[in-house]
Amino acid sequence: MSDYAELHCLSNFSFQRGASSAKELFERAKRHGYQALAITDECTLAGIVRAWQAAQECELPLIIGSEITLENGPKVVLLVEDLAGYQALCGLITEGRRRSKKGEYRLLREDFLRPVAGLLALWVPDLDQRAEVLHEQGNWLRQTFHQNLWLSVQLHCGPDDSLRLSRLLALARSLDIPAVASGDVHMHARGRRALQDTMTAIRHHTTVAEAGHRLFPNGERHLRPRAVLAEVYPPDLLAETLMIARRCTFDFAQLKYEYPRELVPEGHTASTWLRHLTEEGARQRWPAGTPPIARQNINHELEIIGKKHYESYFLTVHDIVRFARQQSILCQGRGSAANSTVCFALGITELDPSRGKGQLLFARFISEERDEPPDIDVDFEHERREEVLQYVFRRYGRGRAALTAVASTYHGAGALRDVARVLGLPPDQINALADCCGRWTDNLPPAERLKESGFEPDSPILRRVLTLAGELIGFPRHLSQHPGGFVISEQPLETLVPVENAAMADRTIIQWDKDDLDLVGLLKVDILALGMLSALRRTFDLVTRYRGYDLTIASIPAEDAPTYEMISRADTIGVFQIESRAQMSMLPRLQPRTFYDLVIEVAIVRPGPIQGDMVHPYLRRRNGEEPVTYPSEELKAVFERTLGVPLFQEQVMQLAIVAADYTAGEADQLRRSMAAWKRHGGLEPHYARLSKRMTEKGYTKAFIDRIFEQIKGFGSYGFPESHAASFALLTYASCWLKCHEPAAF
């Protein structure tokens, strides 16, 4: 049985073509004993980071590549040999995508006048073309790629495989091009053929019954066992795959991403300039002198920032905020940035980390053990955010700044509608089915629900629709634009990742999803929009104009009793975050009297705390209806500020550090697993580790299980404490204005 490496394989990031995820493909390739697997999605690298992750998990080499069809030209699969080849491929994809509207590409032969060293090419000839056309294409490819060109032989158990093989080998000999086997793989297993047919019909806006020749004639475009491949291909063609795979040595670890450096004035390093700006900001924040705890935090944070070489990241965000303030655009950093005293001194956030209970974890924001940069979110006035976005494009140029993408995925209703349509169901049944089962995400919907909506649960066509829709849920559907996640680079972005046009004019996006950036260490600054900031800025302007004094978010008087009395009466229509019916029903029960009470109020009316059964125990303890108890003395410091009930992600991280001896980096991994477990699972290893370590330290199994159920609750939109604190600041500001300046507000 011959060894083999698959060199032509599409994942589900070839939208509506590939019918398997990279994880499924690598697991199957590993099971079959393949030596390597190439992921070659059509003119895109949108899924390559996830493929790299899957390859590492399966300990199987990944070959990075892309399938492209030139305009009026040949179809080729380009494989990356080294760093130069990767950069060349990113440049080609960028060229093809930037000259076309979103979702399309157009590559010309002239594009290959640029250097293509480091790229290996597999030509996929169309034998239906005339002989002279094939020879002209082959000669052009040979002149372009020289010794880095192969003719791809793809055999799928058709009735004319013997004739096809002989014709392809004859064409290769006539052009003096070596031949190699490849699979044109579209799915990991034959069982995905029905889904692949369905996706083909979706892509062509037709039904499966009418798709005709657009569908593959059989299900052979899957990762076949090596024994089967040995029966289909000559041994020398299989051996050639290994020779090519050995040449493809590029790994993402070879990418060297650098933050922009031009923000540092002459005579300074990034480190000394960040220190200078921080000290300057600290003098403005604390005119009477920086408090000892703030001084300690600043020194500690700057030390870690220096060790991780993140100075330019903070300088970049500071520069964006400085521009907004110069233009009188109100902004406020939120999320994990609220943990940082440096961010407060730089004016990135208006929230003093010491305000309230002073328990915000800096390790939630940045730690020595994490390899990815911190993620800073800054909200701007919603009507003026575009000014900030365009400033970033002007400041760094289109070549060095772009928005990150979001891989929009199929959810229940969308998958049901698309599948039902291409399987021929009438529109009224499609609507009824989507209404009935649109929120289903796991197992098939219960028969009772289907019967109530007028469907026959045992109907073969209905079972087929539900089964295929279930397979489609979670698949990427298209790339969309992140609302404001900017990636900025010292070098041209297209040397790191392909760039394409967004649907909106004057915007460009990279092809990687926002959640994939951390894995390759790319800087992202979230420039987001918030309507309340527009309202606050206009209110401040009116107060200045008619009252004669200036207000800012930071200068609004803190802990104002009349404001809290208004909040406790639930007189909160029009303010930020606590004006919903659910929030207004909670306010008289919670009776907020301090800023930290507002932090809890913002966070507690969320699906996570509710599903984790945290709300009622907290209220009972707050109202004296049950005693405040702690599982141990060492955890009292963790849970004391929330009366012994874990309400925040940061508390779970602190619990893991205190009660299970997690490091700060391990605790951050737990946070990531909490955020992602609904989509990807992955909490089980943490449960085993927490259980073992906490049991050894004397905690009961009942307590450990209850904590773990609450941890899972945080996967359902639980608020981090830092995020709640940032929002609570805007909540307090809007409430104070409603209370004391109602006309202006």
Side-chain angles (χ1 to χ4, degrees):
M1 188 163 52
S2 301
D3 283 336
Y4 179 70
E6 181 54 67
L7 303 176
H8 185 190
C9 176
L10 306 184
S11 79
N12 53 11
F13 273 88
S14 286
F15 305 116
Q16 281 87 50
R17 286 188 66 195
S20 296
S21 68
K23 183 178 177 66
E24 292 170 325
L25 291 163
F26 271 93
E27 288 175 348
R28 180 57 63 101
K30 179 76 170 180
R31 195 175 306 134
H32 285 334
Y34 285 21
Q35 297 300 301
L37 177 64
I39 297 297
T40 56
D41 289 314
E42 186 176 7
C43 199
T44 185
L45 294 180
I48 208 65
V49 176
R50 298 184 190 184
W52 179 52
Q53 192 175 17
Q56 289 179 310
E57 291 172 359
C58 293
E59 298 180 335
L60 185 66
L62 162 70
I63 300 171
I64 295 174
S66 185
E67 171 197 300
I68 61 171
T69 301
L70 277 69
E71 186 172 78
N72 301 318
K75 177 179 178 178
V76 291
V77 176
L78 300 176
L79 302 177
V80 170
E81 183 178 23
D82 53 24
L83 178 59
Y86 177 79
Q87 293 174 337
L89 181 60
C90 287
L92 284 168
I93 294 173
T94 299
E95 190 73 40
R97 293 285 184 179
R98 286 298 311 276
R99 69 159 59 102
S100 306
K101 66 180 183 180
K102 177 175 165 52
E104 299 179 3
Y105 72 95
R106 180 168 165 255
L107 276 167
L108 313 171
R109 291 192 181 190
E110 303 89 85
D111 298 325
F112 288 82
L113 295 174
R114 66 168 68 199
V116 291
L119 280 179
L120 313 182
L122 311 186
W123 175 31
V124 185
D126 180 0
L127 293 182
D128 291 334
Q129 292 181 317
R130 300 192 312 275
E132 55 267 30
V133 173
L134 290 173
H135 277 79
E136 187 276 331
Q137 290 180 355
N139 284 322
W140 176 78
L141 287 167
R142 193 172 56 180
Q143 291 168 9
T144 302
F145 292 98
H146 307 293
Q147 302 304 311
N148 291 337
L149 174 67
W150 286 260
L151 187 145
S152 176
V153 176
Q154 300 179 351
L155 304 174
H156 298 107
C157 299
D160 58 350
D161 268 8
S162 297
L163 176 61
R164 178 179 176 81
L165 176 61
S166 63
R167 288 184 64 190
L168 288 169
L169 293 178
L171 178 62
R173 283 192 300 270
S174 68
L175 291 165
D176 194 23
I177 300 173
V180 65
S182 71
D184 189 24
V185 172
H186 282 61
M187 49 202 164
H188 74 290
R190 192 194 305 272
R192 282 287 168 85
R193 190 210 169 167
L195 180 62
Q196 209 284 323
D197 288 349
T198 300
M199 293 168 67
T200 301
I202 292 171
R203 187 172 85 254
H204 289 287
H205 307 287
T206 185
T207 64
V208 173
E210 296 171 346
H213 68 277
R214 299 186 183 97
L215 305 179
F216 293 129
N218 60 30
E220 291 300 303
R221 281 174 171 80
H222 66 279
L223 293 171
R224 293 172 282 185
R226 287 181 295 138
V228 172
L229 294 170
E231 295 175 358
V232 174
Y233 292 100
D236 57 326
L237 268 62
L238 297 175
E240 193 73 10
T241 67
L242 303 177
M243 191 278 290
I244 294 174
R246 282 193 291 269
R247 288 185 57 180
C248 296
T249 59
F250 174 75
D251 184 84
F252 270 125
Q254 298 172 28
L255 283 183
K256 299 301 179 188
Y257 169 68
E258 295 181 50
Y259 302 146
R261 292 195 296 260
E262 65 262 41
L263 297 173
V264 180
E266 191 173 345
H268 277 279
T269 64
S271 182
T272 62
W273 185 236
L274 180 62
R275 166 71 74 171
H276 169 79
L277 292 175
T278 303
E279 296 293 349
E280 188 179 75
R283 286 191 293 272
Q284 294 176 357
R285 292 295 195 189
W286 298 286
T290 305
I293 184 64
R295 167 58 53 203
Q296 180 182 332
N297 288 344
I298 286 173
N299 291 335
H300 172 63
E301 292 174 23
L302 287 176
E303 180 184 358
I304 293 181
I305 290 167
K307 285 181 179 178
K308 302 298 289 184
H309 306 294
Y310 292 155
E311 296 95 340
S312 295
Y313 180 89
F314 286 84
L315 293 174
T316 300
V317 181
H318 172 265
D319 177 66
I320 295 169
V321 170
R322 177 198 56 79
F323 165 80
R325 295 230 160 90
Q326 286 177 346
Q327 305 302 312
S328 299
I329 301 172
L330 195 60
C331 59
Q332 158 70 350
R334 64 173 163 94
S336 56
N339 297 347
S340 169
T341 307
V342 167
C343 283
F344 179 61
L346 292 174
I348 293 169
T349 176
E350 294 296 322
L351 178 64
D352 183 344
S354 64
R355 187 170 179 179
K357 300 290 184 178
Q359 292 286 332
L360 299 181
L361 276 181
F362 181 64
R364 164 76 173 81
F365 181 49
I366 179 175
S367 78
E368 292 187 61
E369 298 175 55
R370 287 168 57 187
D371 289 330
E372 70 273 6
D375 188 12
I376 296 179
D377 301 344
V378 187
D379 289 310
F380 297 85
E381 296 178 42
H382 74 295
E383 293 173 334
R384 302 190 65 190
R385 182 182 61 149
E386 188 64 27
E387 297 175 45
V388 183
L389 294 177
Q390 293 306 321
Y391 167 74
V392 176
F393 278 128
R394 290 194 308 273
R395 185 81 165 84
Y396 299 99
R398 293 276 165 179
R400 297 170 53 211
L403 292 163
T404 183
V406 175
S408 296
T409 58
Y410 271 104
H411 297 285
L416 279 168
R417 288 184 183 280
D418 277 5
V419 171
R421 178 176 53 79
V422 301
L423 291 185
L425 266 65
D428 59 334
Q429 286 193 22
I430 293 173
N431 292 332
L433 193 60
D435 291 342
C436 164
C437 308
R439 294 185 180 275
W440 138 75
T441 56
D442 298 320
N443 299 318
L444 292 177
E448 294 76 19
R449 189 190 308 171
L450 294 168
K451 286 180 179 177
E452 289 171 3
S453 299
F455 292 99
E456 177 51 56
D458 295 325
S459 163
I461 182 64
L462 180 62
R463 305 304 289 180
R464 187 172 180 80
V465 168
L466 293 173
T467 299
L468 290 171
E471 291 179 346
L472 192 56
I473 288 173
F475 267 40
R477 192 174 186 274
H478 61 270
L479 280 187
S480 59
Q481 167 192 305
H482 188 276
F486 254 108
V487 176
I488 309 168
S489 170
E490 175 69 18
Q491 64 267 58
L493 273 174
E494 67 173 48
T495 64
L496 298 167
V497 53
V499 179
E500 62 180 53
N501 296 320
M504 291 182 66
D506 299 323
R507 295 204 184 172
T508 46
I509 63 172
I510 64 170
Q511 288 190 329
W512 289 342
D513 182 89
K514 61 180 177 60
D515 293 333
D516 296 334
L517 300 183
D518 287 349
L519 294 171
V520 285
L522 263 63
L523 175 157
K524 175 168 72 73
V525 181
D526 280 329
I527 299 174
L528 305 174
L530 207 57
M532 180 51 67
L533 287 173
S534 301
L536 291 178
R537 198 260 306 158
R538 288 172 177 165
T539 306
F540 292 158
D541 289 348
L542 287 168
V543 169
T544 300
R545 180 177 175 185
Y546 289 101
R547 301 291 194 218
Y549 65 95
D550 292 332
L551 276 176
T552 67
I553 294 174
S555 68
I556 285 177
E559 306 302 87
D560 178 66
T563 299
Y564 286 116
E565 289 171 7
M566 182 192 78
I567 293 172
S568 297
R569 295 194 306 271
D571 181 9
T572 55
I573 290 177
V575 305
F576 185 61
Q577 280 288 302
I578 57 170
E579 67 167 341
S580 70
R581 187 172 297 176
Q583 288 278 6
M584 290 171 68
S585 68
M586 180 67 72
L587 289 169
R589 300 162 67 191
L590 190 66
Q591 291 284 308
R593 285 290 180 263
T594 66
F595 177 74
Y596 197 74
D597 290 344
L598 273 188
V599 175
I600 289 174
E601 174 67 37
V602 166
I604 203 170
V605 186
R606 304 283 292 179
I610 292 170
Q611 291 178 17
D613 192 27
M614 306 170 206
V615 178
H616 294 296
Y618 177 82
L619 289 175
R620 286 196 298 269
R621 293 181 178 202
R622 183 179 174 86
N623 296 331
E625 297 168 14
E626 71 174 53
V628 178
T629 59
Y630 303 99
S632 70
E633 191 61 31
E634 65 179 354
L635 286 179
K636 181 177 180 180
V638 176
F639 294 138
E640 190 170 18
R641 63 191 189 273
T642 54
L643 307 182
V645 180
L647 293 179
F648 301 109
Q649 286 180 354
E650 286 89 342
Q651 288 178 297
V652 174
M653 294 169 66
Q654 287 176 307
L655 174 140
I657 291 170
V658 171
D661 297 326
Y662 271 45
T663 65
E666 288 175 329
D668 188 67
Q669 286 302 315
L670 172 61
R671 175 189 65 82
R672 292 176 177 278
S673 298
M674 283 191 284
W677 86 273
K678 281 279 188 181
R679 289 172 289 140
H680 307 300
L683 272 177
E684 290 74 16
H686 287 287
Y687 176 70
R689 194 185 314 170
L690 283 167
S691 295
K692 181 176 183 295
R693 295 181 182 180
M694 292 178 70
T695 300
E696 290 171 354
K697 297 185 79 169
Y699 292 96
T700 65
K701 186 177 187 304
F703 171 71
I704 295 169
D705 289 344
R706 187 167 74 252
I707 284 290
F708 200 73
E709 285 304 308
Q710 291 170 334
I711 287 174
K712 290 196 289 187
F714 286 119
S716 302
Y717 311 103
F719 253 23
E721 185 174 9
S722 52
H723 195 118
S726 297
F727 270 12
L729 186 64
L730 299 183
T731 299
Y732 180 81
S734 61
C735 288
W736 189 94
L737 290 168
K738 178 182 172 75
C739 180
H740 293 280
E741 295 290 352
F745 186 68

